[in-house]
Amino acid sequence: MFVLSVKAGRKKVLIGLAAVLIVVTGVIVTSKVHSSSPVATASGKQYCLTAATNEDRISFLKQFGWNVNAEPIEMKDVTIPEKFNDVYTQYNNIQKEQGLDLMPYAGKTCKQWVYAVTNYPQASNVRATMLVYNNAVIGGDLSTAELDGFMTGFNGAQESADYSMQGLLSACENQASSAAPAVSSEIPANAWPTD
């Protein structure tokens, strides 16, 4: 039989325990940061941005009170332009009002998911569009495709004439008439995040 005896002073034991405590604390903090869901805050209300699965995306919309068809109408890749024109600036204003911002994603390609909203009051054919990057919602809107329709944030409140489809189309026309050809070619064809 072999017996090993180690004599450690009180100082060495305390240093060893402190080192173990630091490592355990680091592991706990790291796991909390990586496992926490991304959130945004708008109008004093915090909401979860997780959108990894279809169920996550439907749950995201339910946070705002919307019921949607279980299957998306459309899913495609869209590229956020590196330089925002007037239309994209207006669209990003909607995002900022709901606690989001597309500027950090300029030049990045994300997924666009479009769902049919089934319970929007006094309007039919309302669509919920979500822009998803790294399994989190980074932007989106509720809108109708009609020329006299609307576009608004996820809460559905139509508070500004700037978000009417007519207002966005006017901004598009102004941008097209005042932009030099080089500017319009900088924005990819798949850049506009809505229908």
Side-chain angles (χ1 to χ4, degrees), residues 8 18 22 52 143:
I22 289 171
S143 65

Side-chain angles (χ1 to χ4, degrees), residues 1 5 9 15-16 22 27 36 44 48 52 74 89 91 96 141 143 155 158 164 168 188:
M1 178 147 93
S5 175
I15 290 173
I22 289 171
V27 168
S36 65
C48 178
E74 181 180 21
T89 298
Y91 189 72
K96 288 178 180 179
D141 61 82
S143 65
N155 68 2
Q158 300 175 40
S164 70
L168 287 171

Side-chain angles (χ1 to χ4, degrees), residues 74 76-83 85 88 108-110 112 172 182-195:
E74 181 180 21
K76 65 182 180 181
D77 291 337
V78 295
T79 301
I80 309 296
E82 290 197 28
K83 184 176 180 185
N85 60 18
Y88 234 91
K108 307 245 189 251
T109 299
C110 62
Q112 178 192 59
C172 268
V183 172
S184 63
S185 65
E186 291 176 12
I187 300 173
N190 67 343
W192 183 243
T194 60
D195 297 332

Side-chain angles (χ1 to χ4, degrees), residues 72-178:
I73 297 171
E74 181 180 21
M75 189 284 292
K76 65 182 180 181
D77 291 337
V78 295
T79 301
I80 309 296
E82 290 197 28
K83 184 176 180 185
F84 287 11
N85 60 18
D86 290 343
V87 175
Y88 234 91
T89 298
Q90 280 189 347
Y91 189 72
N92 200 38
N93 287 339
I94 295 172
Q95 306 317 307
K96 288 178 180 179
E97 287 177 5
Q98 57 189 4
L100 304 170
D101 187 1
L102 294 175
M103 286 303 292
Y105 304 97
K108 307 245 189 251
T109 299
C110 62
K111 297 280 185 201
Q112 178 192 59
W113 298 87
V114 181
Y115 290 86
V117 177
T118 60
N119 67 331
Y120 193 89
Q122 303 162 345
S124 60
N125 199 21
V126 174
R127 295 178 173 195
T129 301
M130 286 182 275
L131 300 174
V132 178
Y133 186 79
N134 285 342
N135 297 325
V137 175
I138 61 168
D141 61 82
L142 295 182
S143 65
T144 57
E146 291 82 23
L147 188 57
D148 62 343
F150 65 88
M151 178 182 288
T152 186
F154 292 119
N155 68 2
Q158 300 175 40
E159 299 164 354
S160 171
D162 292 341
Y163 306 142
S164 70
M165 294 307 281
Q166 191 64 41
L168 287 171
L169 288 173
S170 295
C172 268
E173 290 168 3
N174 290 341
Q175 182 69 26
S177 65
S178 66

Side-chain angles (χ1 to χ4, degrees), residues 26-44:
V27 168
I28 290 171
V29 168
T30 302
S31 67
K32 290 279 187 191
V33 167
H34 289 299
S35 67
S36 65
S37 299
V39 295
T41 304
S43 302

